[in-house]
Amino acid sequence: MTPPAEKVTPISGFPELLPAERLLELHFLDTVREVFELHGFAPLETRAVEPVGRLLGKGGDADKEIYGVHRLAGEDSGRESDLGLHFDLTVPFARYVLENAGKLSFPFRRYQVQKVWRGERPQEGRFREFTQADIDVVDVGTLAPHFEAEMPLVIAEAFRRLPVGEFRIQVNNRLVPEGFYLGIGLTDVAGTLRIVDKLDKIGPEKVAAQLVEAGATDEQARLCLALADIRSADLSFVDAVRALGVSHPTLDAGLEALAAVIRTGLERAPGTLVADLRIARGLDYYTGTVYETQLVGSEDWGSVCSGGRYDSLASDGRTTYPGVGISIGLTRLVHLLVTKRGLTASRSTPAAVLVAVVDEESRTRSDAVAAALRARGVPCEVAPSAAKFGKQIRYADRRGIPFVWFPGAGESGADQVKDIRSGDQVDADAATWACPPEDLRPGIVMPQA
């Protein structure tokens, strides 16, 4: 008896791309990796799991989203749920630094591109499994403040090479709201930050109500919203904060640090960095500068790149390794560009050439042509069958392959290559033919306006 067919259904929050979309994502990954390496960041990969105890308390609201890993009975001793999949790459990186501090040269610069997992509710642009691309710098004991200015400038360089359009990197410093809240008499800084961080989601009226519910007066709530409303692409934010009439040493330190970052941005990437005092970041381990990145015209997507400074995430009790980092949500960014802006790759295969097969008896000749082209760095594939040439051309066209190679098609028995877009067909030799550089790899297709 034939068993019933198994019904295949997607699992929400675990995206799987079509080939053209994956080629687009790889283009983004290759570009980002190239920029990171140009700035001297060394590649790193860490394990997928961490002790749950280390993950708990590191991620604010992410704590309840950790995926536990259950081991089979009889394997390692200990509780079955004592491991969890990492929800970001910063927490495992901090652990890695502690374990390998004696083998690393500081300040240590690393980039990391890996999957992460969060058990949140899947929705547009938010997934349970996704790829992040991080850069971080850590040092021993103290971390020079210029690294906080460097992080967004590296991201800006990467984004300028990608088809993302105009973007803005919003910057704040956690010391600014911390000092401001203390200056107006609010001592639960972390709780206030978490409420204010909901501004874009629930709006100012509900944020004010939640602040009052948490113990703030109406005037304190008003001042919190006034601080969060300050935004400037220059140093005028400092005077705007001072105009609110609040003073505290921590606030002074935060304004000075944030001004240094914005000043560097004005000098090296004008118009890219914006001081935005509502940016807080929900993760508890941030202690200084924090970043979020939005694409202009698509602000409703939220942030596609974020991060910040952390001073005590990596510490063994004797030595502390402060750091600063920023992370691109690659899966989120690519998904939104594909679904909202229609970006895709120019073809669904890396192959630039389809080598036709005249008949099955001569397939070895076609294989030899393909081998000669590949030896010279030209991606190609051999036709799957010796069908009529028209059918083989349609096979290439459906995949976006721009050239079809015909062995022995010339009058003197020479090979010929056809650009199926223009129809031009010329004699060619696999040992010397040059594929146009723009066709060597899949390109990015922008939708027509």
Side-chain angles (χ1 to χ4, degrees):
M1 181 178 178
T2 303
E6 179 183 357
K7 184 178 180 181
V8 178
T9 56
I11 301 177
S12 179
F14 294 82
E16 294 179 320
L17 302 177
L18 293 171
E21 297 166 350
R22 175 58 175 162
L23 285 166
L24 175 68
E25 184 178 56
L26 287 174
H27 171 77
F28 275 59
L29 288 169
D30 290 343
T31 301
V32 166
R33 287 178 57 249
E34 180 182 358
V35 172
F36 289 171
E37 292 185 1
L38 283 172
H39 285 264
F41 291 91
L44 188 68
E45 182 168 291
T46 57
R47 65 199 185 203
V49 297
E50 296 291 332
V52 169
R54 177 158 185 79
L55 296 173
L56 291 172
K58 302 295 185 182
D61 290 341
D63 292 354
K64 62 179 178 292
E65 300 170 355
I66 296 170
Y67 275 108
V69 177
H70 294 270
R71 306 184 217 177
L72 295 175
E75 288 189 358
D76 297 330
S77 59
R79 294 190 307 134
E80 291 185 343
S81 60
D82 61 357
L83 295 178
L85 296 172
H86 54 228
F87 59 82
D88 75 352
L89 299 179
T90 306
V91 172
F93 172 58
R95 185 266 312 159
Y96 178 93
V97 169
L98 290 176
E99 288 187 4
N100 296 278
K103 305 172 186 177
L104 302 176
S105 297
F106 293 94
F108 178 51
R109 305 165 67 87
R110 84 84 169 84
Y111 78 85
Q112 193 169 343
V113 180
Q114 276 185 250
K115 296 279 191 182
V116 299
W117 296 267
R118 294 182 187 176
E120 62 182 350
R121 182 175 64 86
Q123 51 188 303
E124 183 74 87
R126 292 195 175 274
F127 306 100
R128 291 171 171 168
E129 178 184 68
F130 53 98
T131 298
Q132 287 189 181
D134 286 25
I135 50 171
D136 285 79
V137 179
V138 295
D139 210 338
V140 181
T142 59
L143 180 73
H146 64 79
F147 290 118
E148 295 175 64
E150 179 186 5
M151 293 293 108
L153 297 180
V154 175
I155 295 301
E157 182 176 332
F159 273 32
R160 283 194 294 268
R161 297 187 181 201
L162 293 169
V164 300
E166 191 178 357
F167 60 92
R168 291 287 181 271
I169 301 178
Q170 301 154 297
V171 190
N172 195 6
N173 191 296
R174 290 282 281 262
L175 296 179
V176 172
E178 178 182 343
F180 189 88
Y181 299 155
L182 292 174
I184 62 176
L186 293 176
T187 56
D188 183 9
V189 173
T192 305
L193 276 172
R194 277 194 288 270
I195 295 173
V196 174
D197 197 33
K198 301 176 183 177
L199 260 171
D200 289 335
K201 295 181 181 179
I202 64 176
E205 292 184 4
K206 291 184 178 179
V207 165
Q210 289 191 14
L211 287 170
V212 171
E213 185 179 341
T217 65
D218 289 340
E219 176 61 11
Q220 288 171 327
R222 184 191 70 79
L223 286 170
C224 287
L225 291 175
L227 178 72
D229 200 42
I230 295 174
R231 188 174 188 271
S232 74
D234 54 26
L235 299 178
S236 62
F237 71 91
V238 177
D239 290 337
V241 174
R242 296 299 188 199
L244 295 177
V246 178
S247 62
H248 193 277
T250 302
L251 174 61
D252 295 339
L255 288 173
E256 182 180 352
L258 181 56
V261 173
I262 297 300
R263 188 178 297 110
T264 301
L266 289 170
E267 294 170 353
R268 294 175 53 187
T272 299
L273 304 189
V274 173
D276 191 332
L277 302 195
R278 76 169 55 193
I279 303 301
R281 303 298 303 140
L283 297 173
D284 292 338
Y285 53 69
Y286 291 129
T287 55
T289 303
V290 287
Y291 320 96
E292 289 190 353
T293 307
Q294 293 186 338
L295 303 187
V296 175
S298 301
E299 289 82 2
D300 57 324
W301 293 1
S303 179
V304 295
C305 175
S306 57
R309 174 166 179 147
Y310 46 92
D311 283 300
S312 56
L313 183 60
S315 175
D316 60 8
R318 301 183 304 276
T319 306
T320 299
Y321 301 88
V324 62
I326 193 165
S327 172
I328 304 172
L330 255 300
T331 302
R332 172 178 172 77
L333 178 60
V334 171
H335 170 82
L336 291 170
L337 290 171
V338 168
T339 59
K340 300 299 186 181
R341 294 192 181 176
L343 262 66
T344 187
S346 58
R347 54 185 188 256
S348 62
T349 171
V353 178
L354 176 73
V355 182
V357 177
V358 178
D359 51 51
E360 291 302 330
E361 289 72 22
S362 64
R363 178 174 287 275
T364 55
R365 179 173 180 176
S366 297
D367 290 337
V369 169
L373 290 171
R374 291 169 187 147
R376 299 176 52 249
V378 180
C380 60
E381 63 174 287
V382 178
S385 67
K388 292 181 179 180
F389 283 162
K391 187 174 182 180
Q392 294 188 53
I393 291 172
R394 287 193 295 274
Y395 174 91
D397 186 50
R398 286 195 300 271
R399 287 154 180 78
I401 301 174
F403 297 97
V404 177
W405 194 283
F406 299 102
E411 291 185 3
S412 60
D415 292 355
Q416 291 192 327
V417 64
K418 182 184 184 72
D419 183 335
I420 64 173
R421 299 162 298 185
S422 66
D424 295 338
Q425 184 168 330
V426 297
D427 288 351
D429 185 340
T432 59
W433 179 76
C435 179
E438 64 272 18
D439 293 321
L440 201 55
R441 298 289 182 268
I444 305 302
V445 177
M446 305 287 286
Q448 295 295 324

